Amino acid sequence: MDLGIKGKTALVCAASKGLGRGCAEALAAEGVNLVINARGEAALIQTAYAIAERHQVTVEPVAADITTADGRARVLDALGGKADILVTNAGGPPPGHWTDWDRDDFIRAIDGNMLSAIALMQALVPGMMERGWGRVVNITSAAVRAPIAQLGLSNTARTGLTGFVAGMARQVADKGVCVNNLLPGIHDTDRATALDAGVSAAQGISADEARARREATIPTRSYGRAEDFGAACAFLCSQQARFIVGQNLMLDGGALNVTV
Ligand code: NAP
C-alpha cells in the first residue's frame, strides 16, 4: 500500500536504535526525509548513513539530548522549525520501588517522558496546522494501560502525556493534524535486554530464562520487533490514517488480556 507521504519531512527522536530507529526506517521506506536524533554521535551517524543509503532519502543526524531545552532547540534548528511528521521518543526511566523515588526522580522522568514530547508538539504542531496537514506519533508504553509496578516513574510520566494528548489531539484534528500514541509491549531492543537482565539478577535466573518466562506470557510467544513497531508508526503517519485521532494503540502481541 502506498501511504502517500513520499517527500514529507519527519523528526524521529531517540532513533539511533530500537523502536525509534524502527520508525525512522519505516518512514524512510515510504520516501520520507528525516531528521533523527540520539545522544551518542557514533551510532546515530551510522544509523543515518545506513537509512539514507538503503532508502535514498535525506537523513540529518543531530546528536543531542532530547529531554533538554538546548537539545530540542538544536534539533528544531536542523528542521528549520518545521516538520510534517513528528515521532516523539526518549529513553525510559529506571526501575525501582515506589518508596525510593524523590522529587528529583519524578521531575527527571516527567521531563524525559512527558514534557519533552509536549514541548516538541508545541513547537511543530502549529506549523502543521497552518499548512493543513500533520501527523504526530508519541512512543509511550503498554504500561499506560497495564502499569508495571517497578516502572512507576514511567507509569506516572507517560499517563501524564496520554492525558495531554487526549485533549490536544481533538483540538488540532480539524486542521488536518492527527496525533496518536503507540504503546509498546515488550520488543526486542536494548531496553528489553536491560529489563531482562534486571529480572535475571533479582530472581537469580539466567537472562535467557527471564526472557523465556516473559515470552510464555505473550500470546505470540515472542517479543515484538522494531520493524513491526515501525510499520504501525508509518501507517499512523499515512494519508489513510486521517480519521485516527487521539488513540492509544497497543503493540503487545496480545499480552494485555482485555476485551476493548
Ligand atoms: P533502546 O533500544 O534502548 O533505544 C533507545 C534509543 O533512544 C537510542 O537510540 C538512544 O540513543 C536514544 N535515547 C535515549 N535517551 C535519549 C535522550 N535523552 N535523547 C535522545 N535520544 C535518546 O530503547 P527502545 O526499546 O527503543 O525504547 C524506546 C522507548 O520505548 C523507551 O522510552 C522505552 O522505555 C519505551 N518502551 C520500550 C519497550 C520495549 O520493550 N523495548 C516497551 C515499553 C516501552 P542514545 O543512548 O545514544 O541517546
Side-chain angles (χ1 to χ4, degrees), residues 97-152:
H97 191 264
W98 66 273
T99 52
D100 296 339
W101 298 315
D102 62 20
R103 186 170 193 280
D104 287 345
D105 296 317
F106 282 104
I107 297 294
R108 255 194 307 278
I110 288 168
D111 260 344
N113 295 103
M114 175 184 168
L115 296 180
S116 56
I118 292 174
L120 288 167
M121 287 188 270
Q122 287 174 328
L124 293 172
V125 169
M128 295 177 190
M129 294 168 74
E130 263 171 45
R131 295 187 297 279
W133 196 94
R135 298 287 183 265
V136 179
V137 174
N138 299 294
I139 300 180
T140 66
S141 173
V144 166
R145 294 194 64 206
I148 301 165
Q150 66 274 23
L151 292 179

Side-chain angles (χ1 to χ4, degrees), residues 163-224:
F164 173 84
V165 167
M168 173 265 189
R170 277 128 182 133
Q171 291 176 300
V172 303
D174 67 334
K175 300 289 187 293
V177 181
C178 301
V179 184
N180 293 287
N181 303 320
L182 272 182
L183 284 54
I186 192 76
H187 282 71
D188 201 356
T189 68
D190 289 357
R191 170 80 170 169
T193 306
L195 292 174
D196 286 343
V199 172
S200 147
Q203 298 183 8
I205 56 175
S206 70
D208 284 349
E209 179 60 21
R211 179 175 174 138
R213 287 186 192 179
R214 183 149 189 183
E215 282 178 333
T217 67
I218 307 170
T220 55
R221 304 284 179 254
S222 62
Y223 287 5

Side-chain angles (χ1 to χ4, degrees), residues 25-38:
E25 292 266 6
L27 289 169
E30 294 298 320
V32 173
N33 297 309
L34 303 173
V35 171
I36 64 170
N37 147 267

